[in-house]
Amino acid sequence: MSGAESTADEAGSGTPDEYGTLYVVGIGPGLPDHMTAKAKAVIESADCVIASDLYQAFLRDDGTLPPEEAVDDDGIATREDGTAARAEDDREDGFEQQIVRSTMGRQIELAKEAFDRVRDGEDVAHVSGGDPSVYGKSDLIFLMAEEEDANDIPVEIVPGLTAALGGAANVGAPLCNDFCTISLSDKWRGWDEIEEKLRAAAISGFVIVLYNCWRNYEKAVDIVREERTDDAYVAIVNDAGREDAGRNGEDHFITSLGEATAHDDKVSGMGTSLIIGNHETKTWENDDRTYLVTPRGGRDVDNF
């Protein structure tokens, strides 16, 4: 029996003192202005950071991760900054930080590696774009912990700004009343289930935010059109909060439900989301631009 197991058994329950923590960290769109102070602090002070190449590039923008030239061939950089995320950690500034490249095909392997590192006393920051619990990585971590009998691993979710909120801010205030998000990816859910959710959301009057619009967005729009008038407003939002650093560049375009699929050139890929307004969503205009607004109290200011 290992020392860690012995300590856990003696305690009866809980986490051994020598363990680190597995942080699943949402970095929002990825650029510094839209990342929480806690997310930044956790990543700066983690012994190991697991992140895709794209997210690593974002995190180097303001020094949250060391510059690429400071990382050796084994993915190790010596940091001279950062305060430990754990209050009881009294290490001095200047420590080795392991940077691990994450890819879609390695998620299970990397989750297991994260568990091992935490048991060895490391703090691990597993980076997710947006919010880790909104089509992010937090569910995988918990599923893998169950699969691997890793109930000894302390896990903390660090929330981030999700695309629905970032995209809504870009176009005004379309989510001020009830709304829902629906992923159009049929990798984990069958299309029949997605269609059922789309139809129910449209009938119920939710403002609908569609994720993963690079798949099936035309089909999704057609289904919503069966239950909602063609003059409902739609915002097509790309790379919200990423400026020019995203895959295709940040922009947005306002159209109608009936015309949404005629603007296929505006749907640029994985960074695209659609915000479909309801019967209360309206426009507000100033000299520079058009905004979408869904009033919380309907159309009557006296309701507030």
Side-chain angles (χ1 to χ4, degrees):
M1 180 179 290
S2 69
E5 290 171 336
S6 176
T7 304
D9 287 345
E10 290 170 3
S13 62
T15 301
D17 290 341
E18 64 267 30
Y19 275 28
T21 298
L22 173 53
Y23 296 92
V24 190
V25 186
I27 60 170
L31 297 183
D33 286 349
H34 291 153
M35 184 166 55
T36 68
K38 180 167 185 177
K40 179 177 174 64
V42 166
I43 293 168
E44 286 179 336
S45 62
D47 299 288
C48 175
V49 178
I50 301 172
S52 70
D53 287 342
L54 179 64
Y55 297 153
Q56 287 186 37
F58 289 154
L59 294 169
R60 291 190 172 104
D61 190 70
D62 71 335
T64 302
L65 279 183
E68 196 167 3
E69 59 269 21
V71 182
D72 67 19
D73 292 341
D74 294 321
I76 296 174
T78 299
R79 299 205 59 144
E80 300 299 335
D81 60 348
T83 303
R86 290 178 291 167
E88 69 270 21
D89 192 335
D90 59 357
R91 70 186 175 198
E92 298 178 354
D93 287 348
F95 65 98
E96 287 191 345
Q97 185 176 63
Q98 179 83 51
I99 313 295
V100 177
R101 178 174 178 263
S102 173
T103 62
M104 287 296 291
R106 299 184 63 208
Q107 295 304 315
I108 292 176
E109 169 194 344
L110 291 174
K112 293 178 181 179
E113 179 177 340
F115 299 157
D116 290 339
R117 287 180 176 274
V118 168
R119 290 183 178 117
D120 287 339
E122 296 185 23
D123 283 337
V124 178
H126 203 314
V127 173
S128 177
D131 183 281
S133 294
V134 183
Y135 313 121
K137 296 179 178 176
S138 59
D139 63 326
L140 173 64
I141 295 300
F142 287 112
L143 289 171
M144 284 302 302
E146 183 176 12
E147 180 76 17
E148 297 294 310
D149 293 325
N151 60 327
D152 56 324
I153 299 296
V155 178
E156 182 173 335
I157 308 299
V158 181
L161 181 67
T162 186
L165 303 181
N170 280 3
V171 301
L175 306 185
C176 288
N177 210 323
D178 297 331
F179 72 95
C180 68
T181 64
I182 299 175
S183 171
L184 300 183
S185 173
D186 52 9
K187 182 176 181 179
W188 292 284
R189 303 288 184 185
W191 180 254
D192 288 346
E193 180 179 341
I194 296 171
E195 179 175 346
E196 183 178 356
K197 291 177 178 178
L198 286 166
R199 199 175 302 281
I203 292 172
S204 300
F206 286 109
V207 174
I208 305 168
V209 184
L210 301 180
Y211 280 65
N212 294 310
C213 291
W214 55 285
R215 296 188 180 192
N216 302 317
Y217 97 94
E218 296 98 336
K219 291 169 63 176
V221 168
D222 287 343
I223 290 166
V224 176
R225 287 181 65 190
E226 295 175 14
E227 311 296 343
R228 191 163 293 186
T229 60
D230 277 353
D231 61 355
Y233 289 107
V234 172
I236 302 173
V237 185
N238 291 297
D239 286 328
R242 289 181 172 175
E243 300 174 355
D244 294 329
R247 293 179 175 89
N248 298 287
E250 181 176 17
D251 62 49
H252 65 270
F253 179 77
I254 293 175
T255 183
S256 67
L257 186 61
E259 296 292 326
T261 57
H263 301 286
D264 189 62
D265 59 313
K266 304 293 184 182
V267 179
S268 60
M270 293 181 66
T272 302
S273 57
L274 261 65
I275 302 174
I276 303 176
N278 63 14
H279 65 284
E280 292 182 334
T281 304
K282 59 184 180 178
T283 58
W284 182 87
E285 298 184 13
N286 63 14
D287 292 338
D288 298 320
R289 56 183 289 196
T290 299
Y291 298 83
L292 291 186
V293 180
T294 307
R296 182 173 32 170
R299 294 183 179 273
D300 189 351
V301 174
D302 293 335
N303 288 338
F304 281 83

